[in-house]
Amino acid sequence: MRHAEDTIIDGGVQGTRFVINYMRNLRDMLSGDTKSPVNLSTKWDGAPAIFAGIDPSDGLFFVAKKSIFNKNPKVYKTSEDIDADTSGDLNVKLKLALVELPKLGIRDVIQGDFLYAKEDIKKTTIDGESYITFHPNTIAYAVPKGSKLADTILKSEIGVVWHTVYRGDSFETMSASFGEEIAGKLKNVESVWSVDAIFKDISGVASFTKDENDAITKILSNAGTIFQKIPASVLNGIAENETRRVRINVFINTKIRKGEQIRNPSAFVDDLIIALDTYFETEADKKKTERGKQATHSTRDEVMKYFQENKKSDLVAMFTLYNYIVEAKLIIISKLNKVQNLKTFLKTKNGYEVTGQEGFVAIDHLGKNAIKLVDRLQFSKANFSIDYIKGWQR
């Protein structure tokens, strides 16, 4: 699952066309056009990721972490299995899951995020208001104390949010389906607060006004116009070379973690070329043999050939298009963040700061294609900054 804008880097011409059309469909949906259905899920900042369900090979219930999809799938069906492979907080949470989740009557294999164990729930005062809170990772979730939801959470032993269903005759052949109702089809038990990640706007506040619709339409129109002018070789030249694609994504992520936007696409391209060349020179210097150095230089030459064969103006246009998708995405996120069933905060040594959701996932009507809508500058800064206290820090 990719960030919307990264589909341009990773998907070439086909991926770029896909994301522009996807963003148009999201705009239409938020403007009230039911002919352009896109399912939305909220990204919860839970931890750890958890899988649960029935092992198709023997019909036994299991819980697992992401190693379920290793070449040799690793699943836990007993406490002894968990003890043999994990320790600490992960061990405790997996054991709780193994005790509580079978009560839900899970039939398929489902994936979600662990939100809390009972001991993680705190009573907290924020800006003079009393809440119960849980803080699994970067974002702290708050529910007004005394509310019906707070009472439900306080009675539970664990909280889990579900977002993906897997089906197949074996772990190796399972296919994922996003955006399905999961929790609503499970048994309702008091000891598990089990919720879906599906985005629900009962209030109707996540609907574009005419001005908002006009603004995002102009951005997407600009994106479509510039897309038509970019040669296919520029877009496909990244997607079709794995090393080139990975190194460019690494450079972009490095900028994001520093809180830097691509404000000047021309300067960004210059910086990218220097950074890639520096990377390969550094890697070559690490090699102890002349043969190793030559192999690294050969890889560098293949990667850098792209920048010699394509006009800089076309590269600048591509990252300008990248920015247009980011702009459109942020307008959508801002609108979706107005719908909050739980309040979200970042914790600092001086108290709490209001923040939005981690992000959202846009899913096609078949449930097979999905892209992430995340304010990466905000969330990545919070995720990597030492100024924000994470839930697992003591």
Side-chain angles (χ1 to χ4, degrees):
M1 194 183 302
R2 297 185 177 97
H3 291 283
E5 62 274 22
D6 283 353
T7 308
I8 296 170
I9 305 298
D10 297 333
V13 170
Q14 184 177 354
T16 303
R17 183 178 294 112
F18 166 82
V19 74
I20 291 174
N21 288 334
Y22 227 77
M23 300 300 278
R24 287 170 176 164
N25 288 341
L26 277 167
R27 173 208 54 196
D28 293 345
M29 184 189 73
L30 294 176
S31 297
D33 184 353
T34 56
K35 292 181 292 185
S36 304
V38 179
N39 295 321
L40 281 168
S41 290
T42 302
K43 282 181 62 63
W44 291 65
D45 188 33
I50 190 163
F51 295 76
I54 304 300
D55 185 338
S57 69
D58 59 16
L60 295 178
F61 185 86
F62 73 90
V63 296
K65 49 186 182 177
K66 290 184 178 179
S67 51
I68 184 176
F69 293 123
N70 286 357
K71 187 173 182 180
N72 295 311
K74 188 172 290 186
V75 298
Y76 312 116
K77 298 172 183 176
T78 66
S79 290
E80 290 74 19
D81 291 342
I82 297 172
D83 284 336
D85 191 54
T86 67
S87 61
D89 188 61
L90 177 60
N91 179 279
V92 172
K93 285 183 165 57
L94 286 172
K95 284 183 177 178
L96 277 170
L98 188 61
V99 171
E100 297 296 339
L101 297 184
K103 301 174 184 178
L104 300 178
I106 300 169
R107 298 290 183 183
D108 298 304
V109 173
I110 57 179
Q111 179 186 355
D113 292 301
F114 205 105
L115 296 176
Y116 63 81
K118 197 177 192 71
E119 65 180 17
D120 298 324
I121 300 171
K122 310 296 181 186
K123 295 180 180 179
T124 310
T125 300
I126 304 174
D127 294 333
E129 299 289 330
S130 296
Y131 297 94
I132 64 164
T133 62
F134 50 92
H135 190 184
N137 197 16
T138 299
I139 293 176
Y141 295 92
V143 181
K145 187 179 177 182
S147 65
K148 184 177 179 180
L149 179 56
D151 291 341
T152 298
I153 290 173
L154 288 170
K155 290 176 183 176
S156 65
E157 296 296 325
I158 64 171
V160 183
V161 57
W162 304 109
H163 54 74
T164 309
V165 179
Y166 296 87
R167 297 184 178 92
D169 295 329
S170 68
F171 294 130
E172 293 85 350
T173 61
M174 282 182 174
S175 60
S177 179
F178 308 104
E180 289 190 31
E181 180 184 7
I182 301 174
K185 297 179 180 179
L186 302 177
K187 293 179 182 177
N188 186 19
V189 296
E190 189 175 80
S191 60
V192 182
W193 186 55
S194 176
V195 294
D196 284 319
I198 296 173
F199 178 82
K200 296 178 182 178
D201 179 21
I202 299 173
S203 62
V205 300
S207 297
F208 283 143
T209 64
K210 182 181 183 303
D211 287 346
E212 290 167 336
N213 182 73
D214 289 346
I216 194 170
T217 296
K218 182 177 180 180
I219 292 169
L220 293 175
S221 177
N222 290 337
T225 298
I226 202 168
F227 172 49
Q228 296 299 324
K229 297 177 180 178
I230 301 172
S233 62
V234 173
L235 292 165
N236 291 336
I238 298 176
E240 293 172 355
N241 182 291
E242 181 67 8
T243 303
R244 188 180 297 138
R245 184 188 68 80
V246 168
R247 296 318 313 171
I248 290 175
N249 274 317
V250 168
F251 181 72
I252 290 172
N253 285 329
T254 300
K255 292 284 188 181
I256 289 170
R257 290 180 184 183
K258 293 179 180 177
E260 298 178 11
Q261 293 178 295
I262 305 177
R263 297 188 184 278
N264 184 333
S266 179
F268 178 85
V269 170
D270 292 337
D271 290 345
L272 172 61
I273 292 170
I274 293 170
L276 291 178
D277 197 59
T278 300
Y279 167 79
F280 285 110
E281 281 303 312
T282 302
E283 290 300 301
D285 288 342
K286 294 178 183 177
K287 305 300 180 182
K288 296 182 179 179
T289 66
E290 190 59 34
R291 184 176 179 180
K293 293 179 186 296
Q294 289 178 356
T296 302
H297 284 143
S298 177
T299 301
R300 177 201 60 191
D301 293 344
E302 181 62 28
V303 169
M304 302 306 291
K305 181 171 65 174
Y306 168 83
F307 298 96
Q308 298 157 6
E309 294 179 344
N310 293 292
K311 295 178 182 177
K312 180 184 175 182
S313 59
D314 291 330
L315 302 178
V316 171
M318 178 178 63
F319 285 107
T320 301
L321 170 57
Y322 185 99
N323 275 352
Y324 281 137
I325 297 301
V326 172
E327 282 185 63
K329 177 189 72 171
L330 292 178
I331 290 174
I332 291 169
I333 290 172
S334 177
K335 200 65 179 177
L336 297 179
N337 269 333
K338 295 184 183 301
V339 179
Q340 282 201 334
N341 297 319
L342 281 74
K343 293 190 176 183
T344 48
F345 298 93
L346 297 172
K347 188 176 182 180
T348 74
K349 63 182 180 180
N350 297 318
Y352 289 86
E353 293 181 7
V354 175
T355 190
Q357 296 283 358
E358 178 189 345
F360 302 89
V361 178
I363 308 151
D364 69 13
H365 67 283
L366 296 176
K368 298 301 179 184
N369 296 304
I371 55 173
K372 294 187 287 189
L373 306 172
V374 177
D375 184 343
R376 295 163 80 180
L377 286 184
Q378 179 193 51
F379 186 73
S380 293
K381 177 184 176 182
N383 209 18
F384 292 99
S385 173
I386 61 173
D387 295 330
Y388 296 103
I389 300 168
K390 313 303 186 289
W392 39 266
Q393 292 177 322
R394 296 290 183 263

